[in-house]
Amino acid sequence: MEDTSKYLIHADVTADGVVERSDVVGAIFGQTEGLLGDDLDLRDLRQSGKVGRIDVEIASTAGQSHGQVTIATSLDKVETATLAASLETISRVGPCRAELEVREIEDVRAAKRKEVVDRAKELLRTGFDDTIMSSEEILAEVRQHVRVEDITEYEGLPAGPRVTDSDAIIVVEGRADVLTMLKYGIKNAIAVEGTNVPDAVAELTRHRTVTAFLDGDRGGDLILEELAQVGDIDYVAFAPADNSVEDLDHHELFAALRNKVPYETVSELNEPREAVAATDGSTSPAPQPSDSATASPQRVDADPNGSDDSSATGARTESKAGPAARAKTERADAEPTPSGSESPARPDDGERGSAGGEPDAAAAAGSPTDETSGPETVYGHATAVIRAETDRVRFLDADGETIDDVDAGDADSAIQELETVPTTVVLDGILSQRLLDLAADRGVERIVARSLGQFTKRPTGVRIHAVDDIAERPPERD
């Protein structure tokens, strides 16, 4: 009855004497019997379930009794009000004179409705995820998941998928470091899982070009010391002081790799970590290499496919890699990643091929070649603008020279105002229908964008590409 009741009749009872609960209940049934006819007889209503249990709470003080009566009903409003009014005809309870007064009739459904409304407000406030992911964010998250899922094992140790076939490897401390490297597209990292360097890693270092990339703490120093004793290291890089590799963001990680130094330059020092840090200007200058054969441009250590970016260092590295290893690296295809990898570079004589870990890696490292010349192909411009996540748009002429370079948000107005009609547009953003139409009106021949929007029409005179579509085979410059 409690689950189906519509109304609750609340009444106050007063008796001139000491009475008990059973006296009140008996008075209610006895003095209302036959008062309202057969259809509203309280006993019949009680038996049929239209009236629930009669609850009475009563107490006696100073020779008088006071209490409350509650009756649940599933009758309609009129019938409930009539039944409630009949209760006020009671004049005696047991042997005592008494008075019963209805205080209120409570609508049970109203209370439930209030609970529903309050709960609905709470669900609206906390029950929905207001985060709306853009297409870019969705694709980035899927790509990151795929990269993280690529983690493999090498002799039971966490490793990237390219460790087994790459000429260069990066030795890190733990599994989380390997996952971070994979997240940013570097697939040739392997973890030592502690200060006790496994024999498998020690053996691997004797046949590969090795960069030790360690945390900027005492643990990193100990692992470097152990690794130098049992293995063969070519380069050393550290995370910033008191930071772990796994905690670095994209730019911090590649900056640390760019600041690597040949191990020979710090092998005799008591604080090799401080010497490595000095290459970015954070401490006193790093010691100068004693032999020009060990000097190496400070470039990113690894590309996403596992190719080493630095030259071999003297006869030692030549003996580890050899001509066959160099040829193998030159044949390696680069796999640019959304975080901003470079296209494969053409290796010079006597050097391994290299692919930077991010598009501006060489420039940030101070490469003289990059200081004197810009990208020579449309794909090069796409790498510099889109994969570097510049949020810019670049307009190129027929020779691949830059006409203008503005914020991506100003692309629509810029393309209308340019005096020289661009041949190619490189956009770090989603290509919209409006920009496509404006480009077609100006006579643009090609657009390369981070991603393509939804188009109701595609002008036949404009070739459009998402940057990922041209990753394997860059479009030729007109």
Side-chain angles (χ1 to χ4, degrees), residues 77-277:
K77 284 185 177 181
V78 175
E79 293 172 332
T80 300
T82 303
L83 179 62
S86 71
L87 298 178
E88 294 187 343
T89 63
I90 296 173
S91 59
R92 297 188 70 84
V93 173
C96 307
R97 287 192 311 166
E99 180 181 354
L100 194 147
E101 180 181 1
V102 175
R103 184 173 70 254
E104 68 169 330
I105 299 177
E106 178 185 355
D107 189 339
V108 176
R109 294 169 300 178
K112 291 183 178 179
R113 281 193 293 269
K114 185 177 184 305
E115 291 180 2
V116 170
V117 171
D118 291 342
R119 180 57 177 159
K121 290 178 181 177
E122 182 180 354
L123 291 174
L124 279 173
R125 186 173 63 255
T126 63
F128 292 93
D129 185 0
D130 293 332
T131 302
I132 300 176
M133 297 180 69
S134 65
S135 299
E136 293 287 324
E137 293 170 331
I138 293 172
L139 293 175
E141 184 168 318
V142 172
R143 289 190 184 105
Q144 176 177 330
H145 176 74
V146 170
R147 288 197 199 102
V148 171
E149 289 299 317
D150 281 341
I151 191 169
T152 60
E153 288 189 354
Y154 178 86
E155 300 291 337
L157 299 169
R162 296 299 305 275
V163 164
T164 56
D165 59 8
S166 175
D167 291 327
I169 62 170
I170 301 176
V171 177
V172 294
E173 295 190 20
R175 179 184 180 87
D177 298 338
V178 176
L179 289 173
T180 298
M181 303 286 272
L182 284 172
K183 182 170 70 172
Y184 299 131
I186 299 175
K187 302 180 180 180
N188 60 332
I190 183 170
V192 295
E193 296 273 78
T195 56
N196 186 18
V197 177
D199 293 340
V201 174
E203 179 64 24
L204 191 64
T205 63
R206 298 187 179 96
H207 307 285
R208 311 291 175 89
T209 301
V210 179
T211 297
F213 187 20
L214 306 169
D215 294 348
D217 55 20
R218 179 59 179 161
D221 294 341
L222 295 175
I223 292 176
L224 177 62
E225 183 177 352
E226 167 82 8
L227 190 60
Q229 293 177 5
V230 301
D232 200 355
I233 309 172
D234 295 292
Y235 299 98
V236 181
F238 282 98
D242 300 322
N243 282 271
S244 300
V245 172
E246 65 184 277
D247 298 327
L248 302 183
D249 62 24
H250 172 270
H251 298 293
E252 291 173 333
L253 185 141
F254 282 103
L257 285 175
R258 281 197 301 269
N259 291 329
K260 69 179 182 181
V261 298
Y263 177 69
E264 289 85 348
T265 65
V266 299
S267 59
E268 302 299 326
L269 301 178
N270 292 328
E271 298 291 341
R273 175 156 48 97
E274 297 298 327
V276 173

Side-chain angles (χ1 to χ4, degrees), residues 41-105:
D41 183 74
L42 192 56
R43 292 185 186 277
D44 293 339
L45 294 174
R46 182 72 181 85
Q47 290 176 357
S48 64
K50 293 182 179 180
V51 172
R53 184 171 179 269
I54 301 175
D55 292 324
V56 178
E57 294 182 3
I58 196 163
S60 301
T61 57
Q64 285 195 328
S65 299
H66 302 274
Q68 294 81 38
V69 178
T70 302
I71 303 176
T73 82
S74 60
L75 303 171
D76 60 25
K77 284 185 177 181
V78 175
E79 293 172 332
T80 300
T82 303
L83 179 62
S86 71
L87 298 178
E88 294 187 343
T89 63
I90 296 173
S91 59
R92 297 188 70 84
V93 173
C96 307
R97 287 192 311 166
E99 180 181 354
L100 194 147
E101 180 181 1
V102 175
R103 184 173 70 254
E104 68 169 330
I105 299 177

Side-chain angles (χ1 to χ4, degrees), residues 376-383 385-386 393-405 415 418 420-427 431 435 439-440 442-449 461-465 470 475-478:
E376 297 182 355
T377 64
V378 172
Y379 182 73
H381 285 284
T383 298
V385 174
I386 300 175
V393 59
R394 183 174 294 179
F395 303 98
L396 310 177
D397 61 17
D399 296 324
E401 299 297 330
T402 300
I403 300 174
D404 199 1
D405 191 317
I415 198 171
L418 287 175
T420 303
V421 176
T423 300
T424 302
V425 176
V426 180
L427 172 67
L431 177 59
L435 182 58
R442 290 301 309 269
V444 174
E445 297 179 8
R446 173 168 52 212
I447 301 176
V448 179
V462 184
R463 289 173 291 165
I464 59 177
H465 309 274
I470 64 171
E476 293 297 330
R477 184 174 61 190
D478 292 338

